[in-house]
Amino acid sequence: MKAIELVPGRNGPTVKALGVAPTPEGAMENSIIVDPKLLGEAVKKMLKEAGISCRRSVSSVSGQGALVVRVIEVPRMSDSELAETMKWEVERHVPFAADEVIMDFQPIHRPDEDPESQNMEVLLAVAQQEMIDRHVAMLFAAGLSPVAIDVEPLAAARALIELGPDPGGKKTTAIINIGAGTTDIGIYRDGILAFPRTLPLAGDAMTAAIAQQMGLDEEQAEETKR
Ligand SMILES: Nc1ncnc2c1ncn2[C@@H]1O[C@H](COP(=O)(O)OP(=O)(O)OP(=O)(O)O)[C@@H](O)[C@H]1O
Ligand SMILES: [Mg+2]
């Protein structure tokens, strides 16, 4: 788990405090919270130890089990037509039941876009309601009041591109976030998400492969990897 406290500064936000702590055993499974209270208590402790006093929070959700973020192409249409079309697009793009989901979408306008082109790009984000409910319950258990819940590929771009040396993102950028269970890949064109994907292969799988090939236990393999 990671938390950061930012304060507005003259040259953009500055880091006031930073907290890192291991996710408690049994609190999460496949990037989904299974025990909001246990995780919330651990987050609360991490914030206290890091000296983070602000209670307003922005957090992000990730993983591929209960969240889908896609950039899709649809025929150019009006806002009301798009709202109707996106209901069907959800069914096409989510691998989980589409009845209890929270979804949002946003047409993407690139600087070089041709307004007469036949198709338009749309950013679509769909999350399982249950996953979000548990995330919110976890935040409340941690004593936080959520301002926003972001999705990994957009949160990564906000932190690394918008606040980076090339905020307009004139270059095409890839952000690869290798976690423990999942690797998130995001490709950003003009600073705008063009291709997000989450792969279920990351640090833990590397440790397991090292352990198996070299006949080491998990702890030794982790050490060897580092
Ligand atoms: N110095 C290092 N060298 C190589 N791997 C490392 C190093 N430090 C940490 N790791 C690995 O990084 C992984 C943890 O990364 P991170 O903290 O980003 O994961 P996470 O965000 O909790 O996981 P996920 O995003 O999959 O839920 C672990 O597999 C760990 O072994
Ligand atoms: Mg991660």
Side-chain angles (χ1 to χ4, degrees):
M1 308 183 295
K2 298 107 192 162
I4 187 168
E5 186 171 42
L6 298 171
V7 287
R10 207 180 310 162
N11 301 316
T14 39
V15 177
K16 196 174 150 214
L18 183 69
V20 181
T23 307
E25 198 76 41
M28 291 191 81
E29 260 164 45
N30 301 323
S31 306
I32 297 176
I33 299 171
V34 292
D35 191 337
K37 192 138 193 295
L38 176 65
L39 191 60
E41 296 289 338
V43 169
K44 193 180 211 168
K45 184 160 169 269
M46 171 181 71
L47 297 175
K48 188 155 187 255
E49 284 170 4
I52 295 177
S53 54
C54 177
R55 287 292 155 251
R56 287 157 45 84
S57 75
V58 175
S59 52
S60 79
V61 290
S62 64
Q64 54 165 196
L67 176 74
V68 167
V69 183
R70 286 282 185 277
V71 176
I72 60 174
E73 211 168 290
V74 298
R76 192 163 291 279
M77 57 180 83
S78 71
D79 285 354
S80 59
E81 284 172 324
L82 184 61
E84 197 53 40
T85 300
M86 292 318 274
K87 288 186 200 153
W88 299 105
E89 289 294 328
V90 167
E91 303 255 349
R92 261 159 46 89
H93 290 278
V94 305
F96 38 85
D99 45 353
E100 286 178 12
V101 298
I102 305 179
M103 67 91 107
D104 203 358
F105 60 88
Q106 178 85 50
I108 293 176
H109 298 293
R110 296 192 187 276
D112 59 352
E113 106 173 355
D114 170 10
E116 301 299 313
S117 69
Q118 274 192 336
N119 290 344
M120 60 196 268
E121 273 184 300
V122 182
L123 172 65
L124 170 68
V126 191
Q128 251 173 2
Q129 177 80 52
E130 168 86 9
M131 183 268 277
I132 297 296
D133 289 349
R134 289 184 195 178
H135 187 88
V136 172
M138 176 275 291
L139 294 173
F140 285 152
L144 294 169
S145 52
V147 175
I149 299 174
D150 208 346
V151 294
E152 199 280 341
L154 299 182
R158 255 185 268 288
L160 297 172
I161 299 178
E162 286 175 34
L163 297 176
D166 181 26
K170 281 175 262 335
K171 298 184 194 115
T172 295
T173 309
I175 299 176
I176 302 173
N177 175 6
I178 307 174
T182 56
T183 295
D184 294 287
I185 301 174
I187 297 170
Y188 305 82
R189 200 151 42 81
D190 317 307
I192 302 169
L193 185 61
F195 181 87
R197 278 298 181 278
T198 299
L199 309 175
L201 198 67
D204 287 352
M206 295 179 205
T207 306
I210 292 169
Q212 203 196 349
Q213 288 296 318
M214 299 177 71
L216 304 172
D217 67 28
E218 205 184 303
E219 208 174 307
Q220 293 168 322
E222 181 73 40
E223 197 57 38
T224 305
K225 179 177 76 174
R226 290 178 189 221

